Amino acid sequence: MTSKKTHQTECCVNEFSSTKVMELLVELGPTEQMGKGVDGNRINYPIVGGTFVGKGMQSKIIPGGADFAIERDDKTQLVSALYRIQTDCGQIIIVDNKGIWRPSAEGIKRMEHGKDPLPEQVYARTTPVFHTQPGKFLWLNDYIFFGTISDPGRADAVLITIYTIN
């Protein structure tokens, strides 16, 4: 009699964890409506400064960056932010942060009445990529990150929290 052996194939690991690595308080200048294009309404959110604190680093956000978002007809905004942070030791790191900001149906109703959506009425996630100089922050080039965008309670700023995927 022959015995059948069950062959189980081990697949790739699909589990991961995350670690908070940075929190940025990004200060914004006046919003600039740039008009409707074929892909949606273009909006510029000028980045005029701010601060950040993170894993072995802290300091400021350099003025001059921007989030050139595209707002679709469904009120979802495609985030496309490019800015620079400067660490307390003087190193400048470029942050290229793309993502999505999508209000729920309830959030859209609030927007239609001239109000901001409540935090729980918004899905806001980004996938930042860092570009560093050689040195102690080079590790930022070697991971995949995700971020959240939240309201810090100020009309002129957003709070971005960044995590590494382990």
Side-chain angles (χ1 to χ4, degrees), residues 141-159:
N141 295 286
D142 296 334
Y143 288 89
I144 294 175
F145 298 90
F146 72 92
T148 62
I149 305 169
S150 56
D151 181 355
R154 293 175 45 183
D156 67 339
V158 292
L159 182 65

Side-chain angles (χ1 to χ4, degrees), residues 2-156:
T2 17
S3 68
K4 289 186 175 179
K5 288 188 176 181
T6 305
H7 180 70
Q8 293 181 335
T9 306
E10 290 189 28
C11 185
C12 52
V13 176
N14 290 322
E15 296 179 20
F16 65 89
S17 61
S18 62
T19 304
K20 181 176 169 180
V21 295
M22 190 180 307
E23 197 166 80
L24 303 99
L25 180 64
V26 180
E27 296 173 350
L28 305 172
T31 301
E32 299 171 6
Q33 295 291 337
M34 300 187 319
K36 189 154 177 124
V38 294
D39 48 0
N41 185 39
R42 293 193 169 269
I43 305 168
N44 177 24
Y45 298 100
I47 296 173
V48 298
T51 58
F52 74 94
V53 64
K55 187 176 175 184
M57 67 179 96
Q58 64 181 13
S59 195
K60 65 180 180 176
I61 298 168
I62 300 171
D67 174 4
F68 289 103
I70 296 173
E71 183 179 60
R72 302 184 317 209
D73 290 337
D74 65 357
K75 300 299 181 198
T76 296
Q77 290 189 21
L78 304 177
V79 174
S80 183
L82 186 64
Y83 52 99
R84 297 161 295 144
I85 59 177
Q86 184 174 10
T87 66
D88 51 0
C89 66
Q91 189 172 126
I92 295 175
I93 300 170
I94 297 169
V95 183
D96 186 355
N97 202 4
K98 296 189 180 352
I100 189 166
W101 182 92
R102 184 185 68 237
S104 67
E106 295 82 16
I108 291 171
K109 286 178 187 171
R110 284 184 60 88
M111 293 169 69
E112 289 170 348
H113 291 91
K115 298 177 182 177
D116 288 334
L118 298 172
E120 63 272 13
Q121 296 172 334
V122 176
Y123 175 85
R125 301 291 184 268
T126 65
T127 54
V129 175
F130 297 94
H131 304 280
T132 68
Q133 302 161 352
K136 72 186 226 179
F137 304 114
L138 192 60
W139 65 271
L140 288 167
N141 295 286
D142 296 334
Y143 288 89
I144 294 175
F145 298 90
F146 72 92
T148 62
I149 305 169
S150 56
D151 181 355
R154 293 175 45 183
D156 67 339

